[in-house]
Amino acid sequence: SNLSNREVDAIKETKEFICGGLKIRYAYVSQKGYYPDQLDKANQDAYSVIEKFGPKASNDAFFAVFDGHGELGDHCAQFARDKLPEYLKRHINRAKLKEAKKATGNGDISNIELSKDQMHKACTRAHIECNNAMHQALDDRLSGTTSISAFVHGRRNRMTICNVGDSRAVLGKTTGSDAYIQGRSELKAYPLSRDQTPYRKDERIRIRKTGARI
C-alpha cells in the first residue's frame, strides 16, 4: 500500500522469529520529514521485511531501507521496495540452479548454498536490473533512492550487506562479560556498509569516468 502521505508508519510491537540458527527481533518506524515550504511533501522513505525469503521452507530473511530524494523520490523508494526483492530472488535462484546442475545434474536447489563471490555477483546483478527497470518505469532523471539491505543466510548464520548511496547498516555488539553496567548493556558500533558518495576518492573517479559532473 502507498504510505507516502502518512506522518508515522511504525510496527505496533517488536517481532521475533527464528532464522536458521539465529533468533531475530526487529522493529521499524518511518516518520515523514518536516519541510516548512512543503508541508504536504510525501514521506520518501520505504522499507522491506521478508521473514521467509525464497521457498516456503526458507531459512533466509531480507531487511531493507530505501531513502528517496528528488521530486519523485517517494516513487523511486517504493519501486525499489517492491521490485528489488523480486530481482534478488531471481538472480540468487538462477545462481543456485547453475550450481545444482553441476553438482547433481538436476534442478533441486533446496540444499544449495552460494559462495561469498556468487552471492555478491547475484546481488550486484539484481541491483543493476532494478535500477534499469526504474529508468524505464519512472522519470528518475532528477530523482532516485538509496538502498541498504541485509540478507540473512539462516543456514550459515551469515549476512550479506548491499549498499547503494549513503544509508547505513550498523552492528551493535556487547563489549564483554562486564558490559552490563548500571542496568544497561554497553554496545560498540561496527559499520557494515560504506557510504557511496563523492566524498570518497574512488567514487569521484568512477563518477567522472562516466562523463558526469560533481
Side-chain angles (χ1 to χ4, degrees), residues 4-7 32-35 37-44 68-71 73-74:
S4 62
N5 291 315
R6 286 176 55 173
E7 294 291 332
K32 188 170 81 167
Y34 176 69
Y35 298 88
D37 297 331
Q38 287 181 279
L39 294 177
D40 60 344
K41 186 173 181 177
N43 184 349
Q44 294 191 310
H69 51 267
E71 185 179 357
D74 52 326

Side-chain angles (χ1 to χ4, degrees), residues 59-71:
N59 279 310
D60 300 331
F62 179 73
F63 301 88
V65 170
F66 310 96
D67 180 5
H69 51 267
E71 185 179 357

Side-chain angles (χ1 to χ4, degrees), residues 39-209:
L39 294 177
D40 60 344
K41 186 173 181 177
N43 184 349
Q44 294 191 310
D45 300 336
Y47 60 87
S48 176
V49 176
I50 303 174
E51 292 186 7
K52 295 287 186 181
F53 190 89
K56 187 175 285 188
S58 170
N59 279 310
D60 300 331
F62 179 73
F63 301 88
V65 170
F66 310 96
D67 180 5
H69 51 267
E71 185 179 357
L72 298 179
D74 52 326
H75 295 284
C76 293
Q78 291 163 19
F79 184 93
R81 173 200 65 195
D82 296 339
K83 297 296 183 182
L84 181 59
E86 293 180 12
Y87 291 123
L88 194 57
K89 192 180 301 182
R90 180 186 305 170
H91 285 284
I92 289 173
N93 287 344
R94 190 175 292 171
K96 285 185 174 182
L97 182 60
K98 187 176 179 180
E99 286 303 301
K101 287 182 176 178
K102 276 197 281 187
T104 64
N106 61 41
D108 182 11
I109 65 172
S110 58
N111 293 314
I112 299 295
E113 293 290 338
L114 298 179
S115 69
K116 182 178 177 180
D117 285 344
Q118 288 170 328
M119 189 65 186
H120 285 185
K121 286 179 182 177
C123 290
T124 299
R125 288 167 179 161
H127 282 73
I128 290 172
E129 190 169 349
C130 186
N131 187 50
N132 290 337
M134 188 183 295
H135 294 334
Q136 298 296 319
L138 301 169
D139 181 5
D140 61 351
R141 287 172 294 181
L142 297 176
S143 303
T145 182
T146 69
S147 174
I148 185 76
S149 64
F151 185 94
V152 183
H153 305 257
R155 193 172 293 176
R156 292 186 173 183
N157 296 349
R158 192 181 78 194
M159 284 193 300
T160 297
I161 307 298
C162 299
N163 179 45
V164 178
D166 59 358
S167 293
R168 296 178 179 178
V170 179
L171 176 71
K173 189 175 181 181
T174 53
T175 55
S177 58
D178 59 344
Y180 197 73
I181 302 171
Q182 296 179 346
R184 62 189 179 89
S185 291
E186 294 295 312
L187 296 176
K188 185 174 181 180
Y190 293 87
L192 300 181
S193 61
R194 188 174 172 219
D195 289 2
Q196 183 191 10
T197 74
Y199 291 111
R200 272 173 40 186
K201 183 178 179 180
D202 62 329
E203 183 63 4
R204 290 198 298 276
I205 292 171
R206 186 193 69 82
I207 290 170
R208 285 176 176 139
K209 281 184 176 179

